[in-house]
Amino acid sequence: CGESEGLFEDQTFTRTVHDVDAAITFLVARGYENISLYGASAGGCTALATALKHPEIFRLGCKSPTSDYPAIKIARWGQEYVDDWKKNGFAIHYHSDGRELKIGYGWWEDAQNYIMYGKAHLIIVPTLIVHGSKDIQVPLEQSERMVAGMPNAKLIVLQGADHDGQINGDRSRCMKIIGDWFESGASPSQ
């Protein structure tokens, strides 16, 4: 993996979509045609939003994508958390691997533009979303609602899996499902 420019705390969905858009533009300019995207959690939202800009994407795979980040934060932490975030200019996010990540308030402001439900019908790329039944980070209902609105998507609920697609600490089943999806070339209904 390469390193992105800038500070993590300055990231926004708009910036991450811009970065992926630049990568796709780079690949297309070099003659690549069957470009697929994968994203997990907030990266899933980035992949979904990028698919809006690039309907020519061959396939899209997402694991537990964030389709409404503001709703997740309000439900989990409440409005007071958001008010403190605004006052401080940043919030601390505790990553599943134990890292503390500083997230600037610009992320919250920008996230208002990436509530994806109303845009779902515009995502025509063949899409597979895999979501764990025991995900406590992103509610399963977000993926159910997205797939219901997308014309060419399928949801696989991985029973017993957490946000990282792990069942008893093992994510191999989740990764196999996603890998098979990309390799198959089949439409979501197959």
Side-chain angles (χ1 to χ4, degrees):
C1 282
E3 293 291 324
S4 297
E5 293 179 2
L7 299 172
F8 182 83
E9 66 190 80
D10 294 331
Q11 283 296 320
T12 63
F13 282 112
T14 298
R15 287 184 178 141
T16 59
V17 170
H18 173 76
D19 289 349
V20 177
D21 178 52
I24 291 170
T25 301
F26 175 85
L27 293 171
V28 168
R30 280 149 185 81
Y32 291 90
E33 295 177 2
N34 292 332
I35 299 169
S36 295
L37 291 179
Y38 169 78
S41 197
C45 182
T46 296
L48 291 164
T50 302
L52 286 168
K53 295 177 76 171
H54 290 279
E56 75 278 9
I57 291 170
F58 183 64
R59 305 177 95 25
L60 177 61
C62 296
K63 179 180 58 69
S64 303
T66 303
S67 301
D68 185 349
Y69 182 84
I72 292 170
K73 289 301 177 192
I74 293 291
R76 175 172 268 167
W77 303 109
Q79 186 60 47
E80 185 177 339
Y81 173 87
V82 176
D83 294 343
D84 286 345
W85 190 355
K86 182 176 183 178
K87 183 177 92 179
N88 296 327
F90 67 90
I92 300 297
H93 170 77
Y94 298 94
H95 194 273
S96 61
D97 67 7
R99 290 178 293 153
E100 289 185 11
L101 302 171
K102 197 181 212 183
I103 302 175
Y105 187 71
W107 178 273
W108 173 264
E109 293 175 314
D110 188 60
Q112 310 305 313
N113 300 314
Y114 292 89
I115 299 171
M116 301 301 295
Y117 307 127
K119 302 169 187 173
H121 69 283
L122 300 172
I123 301 172
I124 60 172
V125 175
T127 302
L128 175 68
I129 294 178
V130 178
H131 205 116
S133 67
K134 293 188 176 180
D135 186 341
I136 60 170
Q137 303 297 317
V138 176
L140 174 59
E141 295 78 22
Q142 287 202 5
S143 290
E144 291 170 336
R145 190 170 169 190
M146 277 303 293
V147 169
M150 295 172 72
N152 199 11
K154 178 179 182 178
L155 172 64
I156 294 178
V157 178
L158 197 53
Q159 293 302 317
D162 64 11
H163 183 63
D164 293 323
Q166 297 183 66
I167 302 171
N168 299 320
D170 179 9
R171 79 176 74 189
S172 61
R173 183 165 175 229
C174 178
M175 299 316 293
K176 178 165 179 25
I177 290 168
I178 293 167
D180 288 350
W181 160 251
F182 284 115
E183 288 181 1
S184 74
S187 70
S189 60
Q190 295 177 315

mmCIF file of all heavy atoms in Angstrom, residues 64 130-136 138-141 144 155-163 165-167 173:
data_model
loop_
_atom_site.group_PDB
_atom_site.id
_atom_site.type_symbol
_atom_site.label_atom_id
_atom_site.label_comp_id
_atom_site.label_asym_id
_atom_site.label_seq_id
_atom_site.Cartn_x
_atom_site.Cartn_y
_atom_site.Cartn_z
ATOM 1 N N SER A 64 -19.701 -4.080 4.979
ATOM 2 C CA SER A 64 -20.264 -3.219 6.020
ATOM 3 C C SER A 64 -20.105 -1.736 5.708
ATOM 4 O O SER A 64 -19.559 -0.972 6.505
ATOM 5 C CB SER A 64 -19.632 -3.531 7.377
ATOM 6 O OG SER A 64 -19.796 -4.879 7.721
ATOM 7 N N VAL A 130 -21.421 -7.278 1.631
ATOM 8 C CA VAL A 130 -21.363 -8.305 2.664
ATOM 9 C C VAL A 130 -21.389 -7.581 4.002
ATOM 10 O O VAL A 130 -20.640 -6.626 4.211
ATOM 11 C CB VAL A 130 -20.091 -9.167 2.539
ATOM 12 C CG1 VAL A 130 -20.027 -10.193 3.650
ATOM 13 C CG2 VAL A 130 -20.028 -9.838 1.178
ATOM 14 N N HIS A 131 -22.270 -8.032 4.883
ATOM 15 C CA HIS A 131 -22.430 -7.362 6.174
ATOM 16 C C HIS A 131 -22.598 -8.417 7.256
ATOM 17 O O HIS A 131 -23.387 -9.345 7.105
ATOM 18 C CB HIS A 131 -23.664 -6.441 6.133
ATOM 19 C CG HIS A 131 -23.594 -5.326 7.106
ATOM 20 N ND1 HIS A 131 -23.547 -4.008 6.725
ATOM 21 C CD2 HIS A 131 -23.555 -5.307 8.462
ATOM 22 C CE1 HIS A 131 -23.493 -3.239 7.798
ATOM 23 N NE2 HIS A 131 -23.495 -4.011 8.872
ATOM 24 N N GLY A 132 -21.857 -8.286 8.329
ATOM 25 C CA GLY A 132 -21.944 -9.224 9.440
ATOM 26 C C GLY A 132 -23.197 -9.017 10.275
ATOM 27 O O GLY A 132 -23.580 -7.883 10.555
ATOM 28 N N SER A 133 -23.805 -10.116 10.682
ATOM 29 C CA SER A 133 -25.026 -10.031 11.498
ATOM 30 C C SER A 133 -24.745 -9.485 12.900
ATOM 31 O O SER A 133 -25.653 -8.998 13.566
ATOM 32 C CB SER A 133 -25.695 -11.401 11.607
ATOM 33 O OG SER A 133 -24.885 -12.299 12.357
ATOM 34 N N LYS A 134 -23.485 -9.549 13.344
ATOM 35 C CA LYS A 134 -23.122 -9.056 14.677
ATOM 36 C C LYS A 134 -22.280 -7.785 14.611
ATOM 37 O O LYS A 134 -21.535 -7.480 15.543
ATOM 38 C CB LYS A 134 -22.390 -10.150 15.452
ATOM 39 C CG LYS A 134 -23.283 -11.328 15.796
ATOM 40 C CD LYS A 134 -22.589 -12.290 16.724
ATOM 41 C CE LYS A 134 -23.566 -13.395 17.126
ATOM 42 N NZ LYS A 134 -22.918 -14.358 18.030
ATOM 43 N N ASP A 135 -22.407 -7.043 13.521
ATOM 44 C CA ASP A 135 -21.694 -5.775 13.359
ATOM 45 C C ASP A 135 -22.294 -4.755 14.321
ATOM 46 O O ASP A 135 -23.487 -4.444 14.231
ATOM 47 C CB ASP A 135 -21.825 -5.288 11.906
ATOM 48 C CG ASP A 135 -20.994 -4.057 11.606
ATOM 49 O OD1 ASP A 135 -20.589 -3.340 12.537
ATOM 50 O OD2 ASP A 135 -20.755 -3.816 10.416
ATOM 51 N N ILE A 136 -21.487 -4.244 15.237
ATOM 52 C CA ILE A 136 -21.973 -3.214 16.162
ATOM 53 C C ILE A 136 -21.473 -1.822 15.770
ATOM 54 O O ILE A 136 -21.790 -0.843 16.435
ATOM 55 C CB ILE A 136 -21.602 -3.529 17.627
ATOM 56 C CG1 ILE A 136 -20.082 -3.611 17.798
ATOM 57 C CG2 ILE A 136 -22.283 -4.812 18.093
ATOM 58 C CD1 ILE A 136 -19.622 -3.674 19.242
ATOM 59 N N VAL A 138 -21.558 -0.551 12.216
ATOM 60 C CA VAL A 138 -22.483 -0.069 11.188
ATOM 61 C C VAL A 138 -23.708 -0.979 11.226
ATOM 62 O O VAL A 138 -23.591 -2.186 11.017
ATOM 63 C CB VAL A 138 -21.840 -0.104 9.780
ATOM 64 C CG1 VAL A 138 -22.851 0.314 8.713
ATOM 65 C CG2 VAL A 138 -20.606 0.792 9.721
ATOM 66 N N PRO A 139 -24.883 -0.419 11.493
ATOM 67 C CA PRO A 139 -26.087 -1.250 11.566
ATOM 68 C C PRO A 139 -26.366 -1.975 10.241
ATOM 69 O O PRO A 139 -26.254 -1.382 9.164
ATOM 70 C CB PRO A 139 -27.203 -0.262 11.878
ATOM 71 C CG PRO A 139 -26.524 0.949 12.422
ATOM 72 C CD PRO A 139 -25.169 0.988 11.779
ATOM 73 N N LEU A 140 -26.714 -3.235 10.337
ATOM 74 C CA LEU A 140 -27.071 -4.040 9.169
ATOM 75 C C LEU A 140 -28.165 -3.357 8.350
ATOM 76 O O LEU A 140 -28.172 -3.441 7.123
ATOM 77 C CB LEU A 140 -27.525 -5.435 9.622
ATOM 78 C CG LEU A 140 -28.079 -6.368 8.558
ATOM 79 C CD1 LEU A 140 -27.068 -6.621 7.447
ATOM 80 C CD2 LEU A 140 -28.525 -7.682 9.199
ATOM 81 N N GLU A 141 -29.064 -2.656 9.013
ATOM 82 C CA GLU A 141 -30.170 -1.979 8.329
ATOM 83 C C GLU A 141 -29.672 -0.997 7.274
ATOM 84 O O GLU A 141 -30.360 -0.764 6.276
ATOM 85 C CB GLU A 141 -31.061 -1.242 9.342
ATOM 86 C CG GLU A 141 -31.780 -2.151 10.304
ATOM 87 C CD GLU A 141 -30.895 -2.689 11.448
ATOM 88 O OE1 GLU A 141 -29.850 -2.068 11.775
ATOM 89 O OE2 GLU A 141 -31.242 -3.750 11.996
ATOM 90 N N GLU A 144 -29.074 -3.123 4.230
ATOM 91 C CA GLU A 144 -30.367 -3.591 3.718
ATOM 92 C C GLU A 144 -31.072 -2.479 2.957
ATOM 93 O O GLU A 144 -31.605 -2.703 1.862
ATOM 94 C CB GLU A 144 -31.245 -4.090 4.872
ATOM 95 C CG GLU A 144 -30.744 -5.362 5.505
ATOM 96 C CD GLU A 144 -31.460 -5.733 6.785
ATOM 97 O OE1 GLU A 144 -32.029 -4.845 7.463
ATOM 98 O OE2 GLU A 144 -31.433 -6.930 7.134
ATOM 99 N N LEU A 155 -27.114 -8.381 -1.303
ATOM 100 C CA LEU A 155 -26.613 -8.344 0.069
ATOM 101 C C LEU A 155 -26.438 -9.772 0.561
ATOM 102 O O LEU A 155 -27.352 -10.596 0.428
ATOM 103 C CB LEU A 155 -27.600 -7.602 0.978
ATOM 104 C CG LEU A 155 -27.311 -7.640 2.479
ATOM 105 C CD1 LEU A 155 -26.004 -6.927 2.808
ATOM 106 C CD2 LEU A 155 -28.473 -7.015 3.249
ATOM 107 N N ILE A 156 -25.271 -10.045 1.116
ATOM 108 C CA ILE A 156 -25.048 -11.304 1.822
ATOM 109 C C ILE A 156 -24.820 -10.953 3.283
ATOM 110 O O ILE A 156 -23.889 -10.200 3.618
ATOM 111 C CB ILE A 156 -23.845 -12.079 1.263
ATOM 112 C CG1 ILE A 156 -24.142 -12.544 -0.165
ATOM 113 C CG2 ILE A 156 -23.512 -13.277 2.166
ATOM 114 C CD1 ILE A 156 -22.997 -13.280 -0.828
ATOM 115 N N VAL A 157 -25.705 -11.470 4.139
ATOM 116 C CA VAL A 157 -25.555 -11.285 5.577
ATOM 117 C C VAL A 157 -24.750 -12.472 6.090
ATOM 118 O O VAL A 157 -25.178 -13.619 5.972
ATOM 119 C CB VAL A 157 -26.919 -11.182 6.287
ATOM 120 C CG1 VAL A 157 -26.724 -11.045 7.794
ATOM 121 C CG2 VAL A 157 -27.729 -10.012 5.732
ATOM 122 N N LEU A 158 -23.596 -12.175 6.623
ATOM 123 C CA LEU A 158 -22.699 -13.210 7.122
ATOM 124 C C LEU A 158 -23.032 -13.448 8.594
ATOM 125 O O LEU A 158 -22.695 -12.636 9.466
ATOM 126 C CB LEU A 158 -21.255 -12.763 6.923
ATOM 127 C CG LEU A 158 -20.166 -13.792 6.996
ATOM 128 C CD1 LEU A 158 -20.425 -14.976 6.052
ATOM 129 C CD2 LEU A 158 -18.824 -13.159 6.665
ATOM 130 N N GLN A 159 -23.730 -14.543 8.849
ATOM 131 C CA GLN A 159 -24.196 -14.846 10.197
ATOM 132 C C GLN A 159 -23.023 -15.020 11.164
ATOM 133 O O GLN A 159 -22.081 -15.741 10.885
ATOM 134 C CB GLN A 159 -25.060 -16.115 10.189
ATOM 135 C CG GLN A 159 -26.373 -15.958 9.444
ATOM 136 C CD GLN A 159 -27.236 -14.831 10.001
ATOM 137 O OE1 GLN A 159 -27.377 -14.659 11.212
ATOM 138 N NE2 GLN A 159 -27.802 -14.028 9.108
ATOM 139 N N GLY A 160 -23.107 -14.294 12.269
ATOM 140 C CA GLY A 160 -22.094 -14.377 13.308
ATOM 141 C C GLY A 160 -20.879 -13.496 13.096
ATOM 142 O O GLY A 160 -19.995 -13.451 13.948
ATOM 143 N N ALA A 161 -20.822 -12.790 11.978
ATOM 144 C CA ALA A 161 -19.639 -11.969 11.674
ATOM 145 C C ALA A 161 -19.770 -10.572 12.289
ATOM 146 O O ALA A 161 -20.859 -10.016 12.384
ATOM 147 C CB ALA A 161 -19.438 -11.851 10.169
ATOM 148 N N ASP A 162 -18.617 -10.016 12.669
ATOM 149 C CA ASP A 162 -18.569 -8.666 13.218
ATOM 150 C C ASP A 162 -18.322 -7.639 12.105
ATOM 151 O O ASP A 162 -18.402 -7.974 10.922
ATOM 152 C CB ASP A 162 -17.504 -8.587 14.318
ATOM 153 C CG ASP A 162 -16.078 -8.819 13.828
ATOM 154 O OD1 ASP A 162 -15.835 -8.843 12.593
ATOM 155 O OD2 ASP A 162 -15.192 -8.974 14.686
ATOM 156 N N HIS A 163 -17.986 -6.434 12.492
ATOM 157 C CA HIS A 163 -17.773 -5.355 11.526
ATOM 158 C C HIS A 163 -16.619 -5.650 10.563
ATOM 159 O O HIS A 163 -16.645 -5.232 9.410
ATOM 160 C CB HIS A 163 -17.510 -4.044 12.271
ATOM 161 C CG HIS A 163 -17.347 -2.860 11.379
ATOM 162 N ND1 HIS A 163 -18.352 -2.391 10.557
ATOM 163 C CD2 HIS A 163 -16.285 -2.042 11.162
ATOM 164 C CE1 HIS A 163 -17.925 -1.340 9.893
ATOM 165 N NE2 HIS A 163 -16.672 -1.108 10.242
ATOM 166 N N GLY A 165 -15.887 -8.534 9.452
ATOM 167 C CA GLY A 165 -16.175 -9.756 8.711
ATOM 168 C C GLY A 165 -15.630 -11.009 9.386
ATOM 169 O O GLY A 165 -15.555 -12.067 8.776
ATOM 170 N N GLN A 166 -15.265 -10.888 10.645
ATOM 171 C CA GLN A 166 -14.687 -12.010 11.374
ATOM 172 C C GLN A 166 -15.757 -12.817 12.122
ATOM 173 O O GLN A 166 -16.642 -12.240 12.738
ATOM 174 C CB GLN A 166 -13.664 -11.515 12.401
ATOM 175 C CG GLN A 166 -12.479 -10.818 11.775
ATOM 176 C CD GLN A 166 -11.471 -10.405 12.806
ATOM 177 O OE1 GLN A 166 -10.863 -11.250 13.441
ATOM 178 N NE2 GLN A 166 -11.311 -9.098 12.969
ATOM 179 N N ILE A 167 -15.596 -14.114 12.058
ATOM 180 C CA ILE A 167 -16.390 -15.037 12.862
ATOM 181 C C ILE A 167 -15.396 -15.754 13.761
ATOM 182 O O ILE A 167 -14.503 -16.454 13.256
ATOM 183 C CB ILE A 167 -17.163 -16.045 11.980
ATOM 184 C CG1 ILE A 167 -18.074 -15.299 11.003
ATOM 185 C CG2 ILE A 167 -17.941 -17.027 12.836
ATOM 186 C CD1 ILE A 167 -18.710 -16.184 9.943
ATOM 187 N N ARG A 173 -13.866 -16.548 5.611
ATOM 188 C CA ARG A 173 -15.134 -16.783 4.896
ATOM 189 C C ARG A 173 -15.602 -15.509 4.200
ATOM 190 O O ARG A 173 -16.005 -15.529 3.042
ATOM 191 C CB ARG A 173 -16.201 -17.295 5.859
ATOM 192 C CG ARG A 173 -17.498 -17.621 5.153
ATOM 193 C CD ARG A 173 -18.418 -18.454 6.020
ATOM 194 N NE ARG A 173 -19.679 -18.636 5.326
ATOM 195 C CZ ARG A 173 -20.853 -18.421 5.881
ATOM 196 N NH1 ARG A 173 -20.945 -18.079 7.142
ATOM 197 N NH2 ARG A 173 -21.944 -18.573 5.182
#
